[in-house]
């Protein structure tokens, strides 16, 4: 099995080298890794750290201007040659060591699409939901996942997760339009409309706040996600 790991990147100079190291180091038995980094018009030193890195064989693509996470992922998909595709953020919220947990159901022929869920649990006020912002994210994501479940007929707990693993053939005939974070609901909606069953695997994350570089706008991006879920229920 060949797995294309797409890393969309925008102004992550503090973490991108560490993330790349972790992705390179992760051991995936029976899996050949293809690492694709897409710089989405970074204005810091992110792209220079990649170009000057010691890592060989990484495919690197760059947008002249910032177009959004969805656009970066679409560029990665276009250049992916693996049978399966996985999205990996360039910050350190998601530990690449967990990729093995997502790949396992594929290798065991128990799933075609796998999501890593952060939310198959109650809020953890002392850790993950330790601030009002993180708590708002928790309930916002659970709400969007509930809407997804109602509209598309499959129970999901974390539609907004970064960790999405799917076969390339599943998106080969799907037109993806999203430029920003609305990529998450769009691809989920269109996979479910294609009758792909999504298996969720519990994962842990290390959430970061806005002061640490988090780019998600809870209200604005949440509203876009809700509209995308409703829209793609009825149109393609």
């Amino acid at each position: 099995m060949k797995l294309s790991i797409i890393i969309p990147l925008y102004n992550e100079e503090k973490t991108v080298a560490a993330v790349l190291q972790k992705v390179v180091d992760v051991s995936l038995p029976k899996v050949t890794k293809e690492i694709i980094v897409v710089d989405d018009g970074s204005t810091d030193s992110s792209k220079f750290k990649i170009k000057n890195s010691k890592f060989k064989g990484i495919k690197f693509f760059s947008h002249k201007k910032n177009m959004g996470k969805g656009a970066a992922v679409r560029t990665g998909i276009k250049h992916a040659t693996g049978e399966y595709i996985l999205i990996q953020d360039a910050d350190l919220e998601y530990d690449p060591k967990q990729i093995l947990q997502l790949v396992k159901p594929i290798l065991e022929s128990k799933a075609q699409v796998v999501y890593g869920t952060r939310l198959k649990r109650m809020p953890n006020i002392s850790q993950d939901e330790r601030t009002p912002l993180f708590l708002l994210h928790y309930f916002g994501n659970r709400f969007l996942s509930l809407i997804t479940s109602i509209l598309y007929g499959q129970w999901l707990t974390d539609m907004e997760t970064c960790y999405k693993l799917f076969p390339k053939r599943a998106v080969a005939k799907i037109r993806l339009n999203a430029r920003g974070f609305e990529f998450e609901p769009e691809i989920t909606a269109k996979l479910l409309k294609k009758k792909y069953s999504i298996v969720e695997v519990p994962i842990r994350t290390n959430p970061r706040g806005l002061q640490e570089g988090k780019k998600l706008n809870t209200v604005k991006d949440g509203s876009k996600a809700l509209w995308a879920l409703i829209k793609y229920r009825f149109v393609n």
Side-chain angles (χ1 to χ4, degrees), residues 7 9 12-25 37 45-50 52-55 58 90-92 96:
I7 306 177
L9 167 70
E12 298 290 0
E13 61 184 3
K14 295 180 180 179
T15 58
V16 63
V19 168
L20 280 173
Q21 184 68 66
K22 287 177 176 288
V23 172
V24 169
D25 288 346
V37 180
S45 64
S46 296
K47 57 185 175 184
F48 301 105
K49 289 193 173 185
I50 298 169
N52 297 323
S53 72
K54 62 183 179 180
F55 308 115
I58 292 177
D91 55 36
L92 290 173

Side-chain angles (χ1 to χ4, degrees), residues 20-227:
L20 280 173
Q21 184 68 66
K22 287 177 176 288
V23 172
V24 169
D25 288 346
V26 68
S27 177
L28 302 174
K30 301 181 181 180
V31 175
T32 301
K33 289 181 293 185
E34 174 184 62
I35 302 173
I36 302 172
V37 180
V38 182
D39 176 71
D40 189 34
S42 291
T43 56
D44 64 2
S45 64
S46 296
K47 57 185 175 184
F48 301 105
K49 289 193 173 185
I50 298 169
K51 289 181 178 179
N52 297 323
S53 72
K54 62 183 179 180
F55 308 115
K56 305 299 180 182
I58 292 177
K59 293 185 176 180
F60 178 70
F61 303 93
S62 182
H63 292 167
K64 291 183 179 180
K65 62 178 182 179
N66 181 247
M67 299 172 64
K69 179 180 179 179
V73 172
R74 282 160 44 200
T75 295
I77 291 174
K78 178 181 177 181
H79 295 282
T81 62
E83 303 157 75
Y84 284 83
I85 293 172
L86 173 77
I87 314 301
Q88 168 73 55
D89 278 351
D91 55 36
L92 290 173
E93 286 196 23
Y94 292 76
D95 189 342
K97 290 181 180 178
Q98 299 179 104
I99 293 176
L100 180 60
Q101 298 170 225
L102 281 84
V103 169
K104 188 177 179 181
I106 303 292
L107 294 176
E108 295 177 348
S109 300
K110 295 180 178 179
Q112 290 182 296
V113 179
V114 181
Y115 281 19
T117 175
R118 306 157 292 174
L119 304 178
K120 194 175 283 188
R121 55 176 176 77
M122 298 297 290
N124 188 334
I125 304 300
S126 64
Q127 293 184 24
D128 295 76
E129 284 72 54
R130 59 186 178 272
T131 69
L133 176 63
F134 292 166
L135 189 61
L136 181 60
H137 282 169
Y138 174 90
F139 285 114
N141 288 344
R142 288 304 300 261
F143 171 73
L144 290 172
S145 298
L146 176 61
I147 296 299
T148 305
S149 303
I150 293 172
L151 288 175
Y152 296 93
Q154 183 186 333
W155 179 253
L156 291 177
T157 62
D158 192 5
M159 176 276 295
E160 288 278 6
T161 182
C162 159
Y163 270 163
K164 292 177 167 67
L165 173 60
F166 49 88
K168 185 176 182 181
R169 66 177 182 275
V171 294
K173 296 183 179 180
I174 289 177
R175 178 179 177 180
L176 295 171
N177 305 301
R179 294 171 63 93
F181 289 104
E182 66 273 18
F183 167 81
E184 314 292 1
E186 181 184 10
I187 192 169
T188 302
K190 292 183 176 181
L191 286 172
L192 290 173
K193 287 178 72 173
K194 289 286 185 180
K195 305 302 181 183
Y196 281 94
S197 178
I198 299 173
V199 172
E200 290 188 304
V201 175
I203 59 169
R204 293 300 305 268
T205 60
N206 181 32
R208 62 176 182 167
L210 297 175
Q211 70 279 7
E212 299 167 291
K214 193 172 186 68
K215 302 174 181 67
L216 188 67
N217 183 307
T218 303
V219 176
K220 180 181 178 181
D221 291 309
S223 299
K224 287 183 177 180
L226 179 59
W227 170 241

